Amino acid sequence: MEYTRRSVLTALGLGAFAAATGCAASPSGDAQAAADGPAEGEITLLTPIFEGSTGKQLLEGKLLPAFLQKNPNVKVKVDYTTYNALNEKLTTGLASGLMPDVVMLGVGWIPPFAHKKVLAPLPDSLASRFDYEDRVLEPSRYDGKLYALPLVLDTRIVTYRKDMFAEAGIKAPPKDWAELREMSKELARSDGSGKLTRVGFDPFSIDLRQCWETFLFANDGNLFDEAGKEVRFNDDRGVEALQLFLDVVKDKSADFSFKTSTGQPSTLAQGRSAMMMANNSLWVQLKQQNPELLKEDKVGAFVLANKVPAMLQGGTLVARSASSKHASAAQALVEFLGTPESILPTAEQRGSVPGVQDLRTSEYVQNNDFVKLALDNMSKARSEGGTAAWMEIREKIKVTLETAVVGQRTAKEAIDELANLSKQAISRL
């Protein structure tokens, strides 16, 4: 299948960026070299998750030396980036013919890149190499083929302050949204002037896209049909999921301005929220910034539920480029990064969830309540994406939802707009 630079960039949602770069013609993704020869040659690894000195030390000081010891004829050049810049970096590499040999991608990213033949399929035998938790490999597949291996998972759960619940006489987390809303009112606090000093529920300090998706799934809704060709989120379940955010703001038990930025102490840690949607990595952040909260057992977590219990499953997958000139070396690195010996230290460094059952008994998992909760509830996990047009749609979700949260549109108007944008993106496949 032939594809042009513009078609790829449009499908990946970066057409405007491409026009600005004026890059050369794209490479062909059809030439997927077989990975059945000796592992040798210099390859490039593009990663968005080993940022910072700690991550670099883990990757270059521990993981890659172990890989190179087993594969002495391979050299690995690491290209560090962030998730915010990853899509643009991949698209630039694709347009210039300089795609990294091994790439790390987010959940939901496999269908768009596999659809465009940017990635090489992996042997399906790798899917049964370890005892993966159920659902873990679903985001790694496209059109029946395995394209990636999971490195680490990240789930979205509801965290709460046990001491604030006890103070309000609340004995158990909410079982559905009606209870969530009522408890949020009871837990919110204001000063003498009526200014909110503590929100009962903070849904805004994590990515609004991922938060809304978690509520959509808990309302038994879907993003797309199984083929990824039809929008499904624009029914009552999707609108109700967004409307709940508007309702808790209207109740004065949530406030969009309370959201914190990455790296800042969470509203939960600051005592400015009693419940908060969070990534399971919050446990590690609390351990570093507010260890007394864990030591005194003041923080708990539960899985969001309404019509059904649901937990968003994100994470980082590792895949091989279809255009790698050293396919065997690239695949060897993919396979190595997908082993428990790579997964466990990577998960521990980031506070992420290891998706291999053998690691359930590890000291790391046993000492992290949020990770244990996630692993115990993997049957309730749902993933974002599911369409080859995801990269274009993904960029529009947060900004469109925010128009409703800040009062520029109703929830239904925002969802309808998002549905129209999504249908247009899918029609261009």
Side-chain angles (χ1 to χ4, degrees):
M1 176 181 175
E2 292 294 334
Y3 63 94
T4 65
R5 175 175 65 96
R6 182 168 296 280
S7 71
V8 170
L9 297 173
T10 299
L12 299 181
L14 286 169
F17 166 77
T21 63
C23 297
S26 68
S28 169
D30 288 329
Q32 297 180 2
D36 52 5
E40 58 187 20
E42 181 172 320
I43 57 176
T44 302
L45 166 65
L46 177 61
T47 172
I49 65 166
F50 290 99
E51 71 277 23
S53 57
T54 304
K56 187 174 182 179
Q57 185 177 10
L58 171 62
L59 182 62
E60 296 188 20
K62 182 175 181 177
L63 299 183
L64 291 182
F67 168 73
L68 296 174
Q69 187 173 21
K70 297 178 180 178
N71 298 274
N73 295 322
V74 179
K75 292 183 178 179
V76 181
K77 180 180 178 182
V78 182
D79 188 358
Y80 296 94
T81 187
T82 65
Y83 261 114
N84 286 337
L86 180 60
N87 189 15
E88 183 175 308
K89 193 135 190 170
L90 285 170
T91 307
T92 303
L94 184 61
S96 64
L98 297 173
M99 270 293 290
D101 300 274
V102 177
V103 295
M104 292 183 182
L105 306 162
V107 165
W109 295 43
I110 298 302
F113 286 95
H115 176 75
K116 291 297 177 185
K117 299 189 183 300
V118 175
L119 305 177
L122 300 174
D124 207 59
S125 58
L126 294 178
S128 56
R129 187 174 52 155
F130 305 112
D131 191 6
Y132 291 104
E133 298 284 345
D134 290 344
R135 308 185 69 96
V136 164
L137 288 174
E138 287 181 15
S140 297
R141 296 187 183 279
Y142 174 68
D143 200 21
K145 296 179 181 177
L146 182 73
Y147 280 93
L149 296 177
L151 182 52
V152 290
L153 312 177
D154 287 295
T155 58
R156 306 300 180 270
I157 53 180
V158 190
T159 54
Y160 69 102
R161 287 287 295 263
K162 293 180 181 179
D163 53 333
M164 294 177 186
F165 269 48
E167 178 189 74
I170 299 173
K171 299 185 182 304
K175 294 189 293 291
D176 55 31
W177 294 357
E179 287 192 1
L180 176 71
R181 193 172 171 184
E182 287 306 310
M183 288 183 188
S184 297
K185 293 178 188 174
E186 293 181 45
L187 291 161
R189 295 290 182 271
S190 302
D191 62 16
S193 66
K195 182 181 178 182
L196 202 58
T197 56
R198 185 176 87 192
V199 296
F201 179 49
D202 176 11
F204 302 125
S205 286
I206 68 168
D207 186 287
L208 187 60
R209 181 191 83 242
Q210 296 166 337
C211 189
W212 170 72
E213 289 167 346
T214 308
F215 276 78
L216 171 70
F217 296 147
N219 214 21
D220 206 17
N222 295 294
L223 285 169
F224 308 100
D225 68 345
E226 289 189 2
K229 299 292 181 62
E230 299 288 338
V231 172
R232 289 286 184 267
F233 61 75
N234 58 336
D235 59 13
D236 288 346
R237 291 168 291 191
V239 175
E240 289 167 0
L242 181 56
Q243 182 63 46
L244 185 72
F245 302 161
L246 278 60
D247 289 342
V248 288
V249 170
K250 183 180 178 182
D251 292 340
K252 298 189 183 304
S253 57
D255 192 316
F256 190 58
S257 68
F258 271 51
K259 66 177 182 178
T260 54
S261 302
T262 302
Q264 290 183 330
S266 65
T267 54
L268 200 77
Q270 295 179 51
R272 299 180 74 226
S273 71
M275 291 186 283
M276 173 186 167
M277 288 297 297
N279 185 310
N280 47 254
S281 64
L282 179 62
W283 182 273
V284 169
Q285 185 180 347
L286 290 171
K287 194 173 180 179
Q288 295 169 344
Q289 298 177 344
N290 307 90
E292 72 282 0
L293 293 177
L294 299 182
K295 187 177 180 180
E296 297 168 11
D297 193 27
K298 289 184 176 179
V299 178
F302 60 92
V303 174
L304 182 72
N306 195 43
K307 293 176 181 175
V308 296
M311 182 175 69
L312 180 71
Q313 174 195 321
T316 300
L317 316 173
V318 59
R320 173 168 75 89
S321 165
S323 58
S324 174
K325 295 179 179 177
H326 304 287
S328 295
Q331 183 153 312
L333 181 56
V334 170
E335 293 183 23
F336 173 80
L337 291 172
T339 60
E341 63 184 295
S342 296
I343 291 172
L344 181 59
T346 305
E348 189 168 8
Q349 184 242 337
R350 302 185 61 80
S352 298
V353 180
V356 180
Q357 297 240 17
D358 290 348
L359 297 177
R360 271 177 166 267
T361 57
S362 64
E363 184 178 348
Y364 162 65
V365 172
Q366 292 304 305
N367 291 323
N368 187 315
D369 288 354
F370 291 177
V371 167
K372 280 196 291 185
L373 176 77
L375 285 173
D376 289 343
N377 289 277
M378 286 308 294
S379 63
K380 305 174 183 66
R382 300 278 300 277
S383 300
E384 61 180 1
T387 172
W390 177 244
M391 298 311 292
E392 183 174 353
I393 295 169
R394 176 181 182 274
E395 301 302 320
K396 295 182 169 63
I397 296 178
K398 178 182 175 182
V399 293
T400 307
L401 298 180
E402 279 186 353
T403 61
V405 172
V406 300
Q408 295 175 355
R409 286 190 177 110
T410 66
K412 186 174 188 315
E413 288 170 346
I415 294 298
D416 285 346
E417 171 67 10
L418 184 59
N420 289 334
L421 294 170
S422 300
K423 290 174 183 175
Q424 292 170 20
I426 291 172
S427 72
R428 289 192 283 270
L429 290 173

